[in-house]
């Protein structure tokens, strides 16, 4: 029991740091929305296995990028057993909620099964496979650190999503709009890694540095959106305003990702663990009622980013 007490202590501290990094306002904004969406998803899973399927995909995505395997081994724990227990606890909570709300016991069984299977899977971040599927990035400037790093690893999925969305323009306006949203959320996740301090010397000051980040961001976003935009306007010009909303959504969440990164940037950090904050901000931005609060929060982090980058230039 002492060993599991240590695990609970570690997870508690990790949760506290994660929630602290997100911020009280964004938590107050996003958590109720996520809770409502989760209840809505559970309600829709009366006659199917949508909840189990999404749970399995989410778990697989998280599992594949976990970085605490070696740490658990050093502490003397079987990492697969720890992961299995954690995943099963989450599956039981969600499954029992679905059982109580809609009487669907199949989701409980399938989610527990998914938790066991995913916990036993190895980490697929194999160096040889990563090199094999690296997207060519020689056309991306080195100073565009985030886009170059993101496209090197996740370039093919972004291109594939863009092409599928553009192709679906022939039959439906939903495809390209969904493509723009998915690409936007993918690129926002690229601003989690910190570049070396030397990159700051490419610009003369904080304003120039952050503006260069934003302009390069908008340039690459437009390039990724372009096939969907062209075909959408050709086949569904009367719905142009829907596409405009999707593009503005992408600009909003990626701008937040930049400001969030540089508000917390420190030369000693390699990554920021910003996925939770960006995820909450992204899903909250999809709700018109929350949009003004999201814009306010964007301004707050923009000010923090300028202050932090100013201090870096002042001391560097």
């Amino acid at each position: 029991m002492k060993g599991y007490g240590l695990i609970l202590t570690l997870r508690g501290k990790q949760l506290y740091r994660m929630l602290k990094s997100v911020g009280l306002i964004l938590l107050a904004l996003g958590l109720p929305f996520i809770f409502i969406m989760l209840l809505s998803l559970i309600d829709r899973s009366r006659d199917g296995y949508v909840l189990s399927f999404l749970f399995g995909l989410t778990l697989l995505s998280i599992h594949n990028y976990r970085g605490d395997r070696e740490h658990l081994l050093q502490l003397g724990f079987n990492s697969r057993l720890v992961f299995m227990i954690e995943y099963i606890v989450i599956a039981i909570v969600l499954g029992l909620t679905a059982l109580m709300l809609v009487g669907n016991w199949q989701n409980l069984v399938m989610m527990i099964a998914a938790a066991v299977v995913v916990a036993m899977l190895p980490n697929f971040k194999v160096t040889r496979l990563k090199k094999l599927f690296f997207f060519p990035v020689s056309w991306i400037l080195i100073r565009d650190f985030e886009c170059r790093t993101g496209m090197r690893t996740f370039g093919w999925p972004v291109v594939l999503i863009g092409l599928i969305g553009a192709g679906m323009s022939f039959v439906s306006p939903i495809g390209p709009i969904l493509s723009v949203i998915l690409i936007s959320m993918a690129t926002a996740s690229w601003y989690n890694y910190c570049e070396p301090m030397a990159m700051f010397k490419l610009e003369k000051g904080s304003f120039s540095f952050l503006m260069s980040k934003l302009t390069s961001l908008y340039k690459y976003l437009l390039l990724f959106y372009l096939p969907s935009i062209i075909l959408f306007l050709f086949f569904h010009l009367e719905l142009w305003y829907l596409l405009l909303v999707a593009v503005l959504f992408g600009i909003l969440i990626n701008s937040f990702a930049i400001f969030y990164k540089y508000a917390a940037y420190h030369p000693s950090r390699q990554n920021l663990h910003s996925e939770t904050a960006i995820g909450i901000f992204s899903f909250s931005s999809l709700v018109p009622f929350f949009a003004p609060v999201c814009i306010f929060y964007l301004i707050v982090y923009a000010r923090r980013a300028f202050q932090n980058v100013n201090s870096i230039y002042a001391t560097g």
Side-chain angles (χ1 to χ4, degrees):
M1 292 300 293
K2 183 178 179 180
Y4 292 107
L6 176 60
I7 291 293
L8 289 174
T9 302
L10 289 174
R11 296 297 181 243
K13 291 182 177 179
Q14 290 171 347
L15 178 63
Y16 172 75
R17 288 197 297 268
M18 181 190 72
L19 296 178
K20 185 179 179 181
S21 69
V22 171
L24 181 61
I25 298 176
L26 193 55
L27 283 174
L29 169 70
L31 290 182
F33 174 67
I34 293 175
F35 181 70
I36 292 171
M37 285 194 65
L38 183 60
L39 289 180
S40 175
L41 182 61
I42 291 174
D43 185 63
R44 293 171 183 268
S45 64
R46 295 175 183 272
D47 301 319
Y49 304 101
V50 176
L51 184 63
S52 303
F53 179 73
L54 292 178
F55 173 77
L57 286 180
T58 304
L59 213 58
L60 183 61
S61 176
I62 294 172
H63 179 78
N64 193 43
Y65 288 93
R66 292 193 67 153
D68 56 347
R69 288 173 169 80
E70 293 299 326
H71 182 57
L72 289 171
L73 289 175
Q74 290 173 2
L75 293 175
F77 293 101
N78 184 325
S79 60
R80 289 184 176 178
L81 179 60
V82 172
F83 296 160
M84 186 182 301
I85 293 173
E86 292 175 346
Y87 298 160
I88 288 176
V89 169
I90 299 172
I92 290 174
V93 172
L94 289 177
L96 288 178
T97 304
L99 181 61
M100 289 186 292
L101 292 179
V102 297
N104 189 335
W105 58 268
Q106 294 96 333
N107 274 317
L108 175 61
V109 175
M110 292 189 66
M111 283 194 289
I112 292 176
V116 173
V117 172
V118 171
M120 298 302 294
L121 294 175
N123 188 326
F124 291 108
K125 295 168 66 177
V126 181
T127 303
R128 185 175 297 177
L129 286 177
K130 289 175 68 177
K131 288 183 178 180
L132 181 63
F133 290 104
F134 269 175
F135 190 85
V137 294
S138 58
W139 55 280
I140 302 176
L141 298 176
I142 295 177
R143 68 192 305 162
D144 300 329
F145 170 81
E146 296 87 357
C147 189
R148 190 179 178 93
T149 304
M151 285 298 289
R152 181 183 291 116
T153 309
F154 302 105
W156 291 116
V158 168
V159 171
L160 186 61
I161 291 171
L163 293 177
I164 292 175
M168 290 181 66
S169 300
F170 292 95
V171 294
S172 170
I174 301 299
I177 291 175
L178 186 60
S179 170
V180 168
I181 292 174
L182 291 176
I183 289 174
S184 302
M185 297 181 75
T187 55
S189 67
W190 296 350
Y191 293 88
N192 188 42
Y193 298 97
C194 297
E195 66 265 50
M197 273 286 292
M199 300 291 290
F200 284 78
K201 297 180 180 179
L202 297 174
E203 302 293 339
K204 296 180 179 180
S206 59
F207 182 82
S208 176
F209 178 81
L210 289 173
M211 287 302 103
S212 70
K213 288 291 179 179
L214 290 171
T215 52
S216 64
L217 159 71
Y218 302 150
K219 174 182 67 179
Y220 290 115
L221 278 180
L222 179 60
L223 179 63
F224 299 150
Y225 296 159
L226 200 56
S228 294
I229 290 176
I230 293 174
L231 290 176
F232 182 92
L233 294 178
F234 184 82
F235 290 102
H236 310 285
L237 182 60
E238 69 281 2
L239 299 175
W240 62 270
Y241 53 90
L242 295 178
L243 183 64
L244 178 62
V245 170
V247 170
L248 290 176
F249 165 78
I251 292 173
L252 179 68
I253 66 171
N254 279 271
S255 298
F256 174 79
I258 289 177
F259 291 135
Y260 187 91
K261 171 183 176 179
Y262 291 105
Y265 178 91
H266 191 275
S268 64
R269 292 182 179 176
Q270 293 183 337
N271 57 64
L272 300 171
H273 305 292
S274 59
E275 300 93 338
T276 304
I278 294 173
I280 292 176
F281 186 89
S282 301
F283 285 110
S284 300
S285 302
L286 291 171
V287 182
F289 178 77
F290 288 141
V293 184
C294 290
I295 293 174
F296 168 76
Y297 216 71
L298 177 72
I299 295 171
V300 169
Y301 268 95
R303 290 187 60 187
R304 293 182 183 178
F306 276 105
Q307 292 171 355
N308 189 42
V309 176
N310 264 329
S311 66
I312 291 173
Y313 275 99
T315 57

